[in-house]
Amino acid sequence: MTRINLYQSFVLHQYQFDVWEFEPHNHNFFEIIFIEEGTGYHTINNVRFKYKPKDIFLIAPEDVHNFEIEDRTTFTYFKFTETLFTQNKQLPDRAYWLHRIEHILHNPNLMPGDVINDENDRKLIWQIHEVVLSEYVSDEPYSKNIISNTISTILSLIARNIERSYRKNRTKYTKKSSRIDDVLSYIRTNVYEHELMKTNEIANSFGMSANSINALFKRETGDSIRQYIENYRMQLVQYRLRNTDQTIAEIAYELGFTDESHLTKVFKKHYQITPKVFKKANNAPA
């Protein structure tokens, strides 16, 4: 499996192919892929589906993907790492941006494919895409700030479309399944707010007692609420260790651990390895 690394915070590439020239690969950065023209198939993590002009794809680090081209296709790629946002002091701080992208990546209803379901949002994103193209080519003063702001806006629109699809798909569930799905969504959305992660607070949000919500959660997921929250936090810790330059102490603070030692103890219990060793093994700065 080919892994491609990006050593800049943002790169824009445009390709036109009759035949796809790259083997399936993953990478250490995000990609927003715009289909300017052409048709074919896009496979992401072994899921294959047809693409067409004006489709938009979000590819996360570790996603494996490739294209099969039917009609000559022109692609525009926005490739970026989280440092694109954290270098811009005019944007919300790093933690806010990480919360946004993590919510997108860990939403279980995000399936491979065109990520936009609202045509007005699609038109808006394509307009923003033109701004990014212009600023990238011109490289004028403040171009980097403008690009980071516009990419942040695109990600917010993508997140809105994912949430819209999530709410629409909830109608397929039974009442019981819908209730547990609401609880899971609450946890994923508020995992950074430590007070809101207390069992009593979660129960109050759904008009239930702590015992009732614990029983429901255990019955529907097989885990206690506390165990689920810990497991989910471990997913976020792994993501940050792989894809950001945050220190272990910073990660521990943001995700509600007492200190770096506490995080190390929990991480080692889950993965039999310390965060420091994991970070080094994944080619990230310690």
Side-chain angles (χ1 to χ4, degrees), residues 192-204:
Y192 319 99
E193 304 296 331
H194 314 316
E195 289 299 313
L196 298 181
M197 287 295 94
K198 294 178 179 179
T199 303
N200 284 336
E201 288 295 327
I202 298 172
N204 288 339

Side-chain angles (χ1 to χ4, degrees), residues 93-139:
D93 64 17
R94 169 181 300 197
Y96 183 82
W97 185 84
L98 283 170
H99 297 175
R100 179 186 303 163
I101 196 66
E102 285 167 347
H103 188 64
I104 293 173
L105 297 181
H106 292 286
N107 188 316
N109 297 282
L110 174 57
M111 295 298 294
D114 177 26
V115 291
I116 304 303
N117 51 56
D118 181 273
E119 292 309 308
N120 288 326
D121 284 349
R122 188 184 305 279
K123 290 176 184 177
L124 180 56
I125 290 175
W126 276 90
Q127 290 168 0
I128 296 170
H129 140 282
E130 291 297 324
V131 173
V132 176
L133 290 179
S134 176
E135 292 297 329
Y136 189 77
V137 171
S138 68
D139 196 24

Side-chain angles (χ1 to χ4, degrees), residues 103 107-110 117-118 121 156-173 178 181-182 185 188-189:
H103 188 64
N107 188 316
N109 297 282
L110 174 57
N117 51 56
D118 181 273
D121 284 349
S156 294
L157 289 166
I158 289 173
R160 180 164 76 186
N161 278 258
I162 291 169
E163 288 297 319
R164 186 182 291 121
S165 292
Y166 166 71
R167 291 194 299 270
K168 182 178 179 181
N169 289 337
R170 278 173 51 190
T171 61
K172 301 176 183 177
Y173 305 145
S178 179
D181 204 59
D182 286 343
S185 180
R188 291 190 298 268
T189 301

Side-chain angles (χ1 to χ4, degrees), residues 36-270:
E36 305 278 352
E37 58 183 4
T39 61
Y41 291 89
H42 191 189
T43 300
I44 306 176
N45 300 330
N46 297 316
V47 179
R48 182 174 181 262
F49 45 86
K50 199 167 184 63
Y51 71 80
K52 62 187 184 303
K54 300 302 179 183
D55 279 355
I56 300 168
F57 303 102
L58 174 66
I59 306 297
E62 309 304 329
D63 283 344
V64 178
H65 75 112
N66 69 289
F67 287 94
E68 303 164 59
I69 296 172
E70 289 185 330
D71 299 316
R72 175 180 290 181
T73 301
T74 302
F75 305 90
T76 297
Y77 277 62
F78 294 170
K79 304 180 180 183
F80 57 96
T81 67
E82 59 97 18
T83 58
L84 173 66
F85 306 97
T86 59
Q87 291 172 351
N88 184 353
K89 298 187 187 316
Q90 296 180 16
L91 280 176
D93 64 17
R94 169 181 300 197
Y96 183 82
W97 185 84
L98 283 170
H99 297 175
R100 179 186 303 163
I101 196 66
E102 285 167 347
H103 188 64
I104 293 173
L105 297 181
H106 292 286
N107 188 316
N109 297 282
L110 174 57
M111 295 298 294
D114 177 26
V115 291
I116 304 303
N117 51 56
D118 181 273
E119 292 309 308
N120 288 326
D121 284 349
R122 188 184 305 279
K123 290 176 184 177
L124 180 56
I125 290 175
W126 276 90
Q127 290 168 0
I128 296 170
H129 140 282
E130 291 297 324
V131 173
V132 176
L133 290 179
S134 176
E135 292 297 329
Y136 189 77
V137 171
S138 68
D139 196 24
E140 293 284 343
Y142 298 102
S143 284
K144 289 183 179 178
N145 285 351
I146 292 169
I147 288 172
S148 59
N149 276 284
T150 51
I151 297 296
S152 179
T153 300
I154 290 173
L155 288 172
S156 294
L157 289 166
I158 289 173
R160 180 164 76 186
N161 278 258
I162 291 169
E163 288 297 319
R164 186 182 291 121
S165 292
Y166 166 71
R167 291 194 299 270
K168 182 178 179 181
N169 289 337
R170 278 173 51 190
T171 61
K172 301 176 183 177
Y173 305 145
T174 65
K175 287 185 178 180
K176 183 167 66 173
S177 296
S178 179
R179 173 56 64 90
I180 192 62
D181 204 59
D182 286 343
V183 177
L184 293 173
S185 180
Y186 172 95
I187 291 170
R188 291 190 298 268
T189 301
N190 296 293
V191 68
Y192 319 99
E193 304 296 331
H194 314 316
E195 289 299 313
L196 298 181
M197 287 295 94
K198 294 178 179 179
T199 303
N200 284 336
E201 288 295 327
I202 298 172
N204 288 339
S205 296
F206 293 93
M208 302 173 70
S209 69
N211 287 338
S212 295
I213 202 167
N214 264 318
L216 171 70
F217 205 91
K218 184 74 173 179
R219 183 170 64 251
E220 293 292 319
T221 71
D223 288 328
S224 68
I225 288 181
R226 303 316 313 163
Q227 189 60 54
Y228 178 87
I229 292 172
E230 183 176 295
N231 291 342
Y232 183 58
R233 280 177 171 154
M234 286 297 100
Q235 292 180 41
L236 298 180
V237 170
Q238 279 202 59
Y239 166 76
R240 295 195 183 197
L241 291 172
R242 284 195 185 102
N243 299 298
T244 79
D245 61 359
Q246 282 188 299
T247 67
I248 296 168
E250 287 173 336
I251 295 170
Y253 174 76
E254 285 192 22
L255 290 174
F257 296 91
T258 305
D259 52 24
E260 180 177 339
S261 177
H262 181 206
L263 170 56
T264 297
K265 181 179 178 180
V266 176
F267 192 90
K268 192 171 182 180
K269 180 185 74 174
H270 278 256

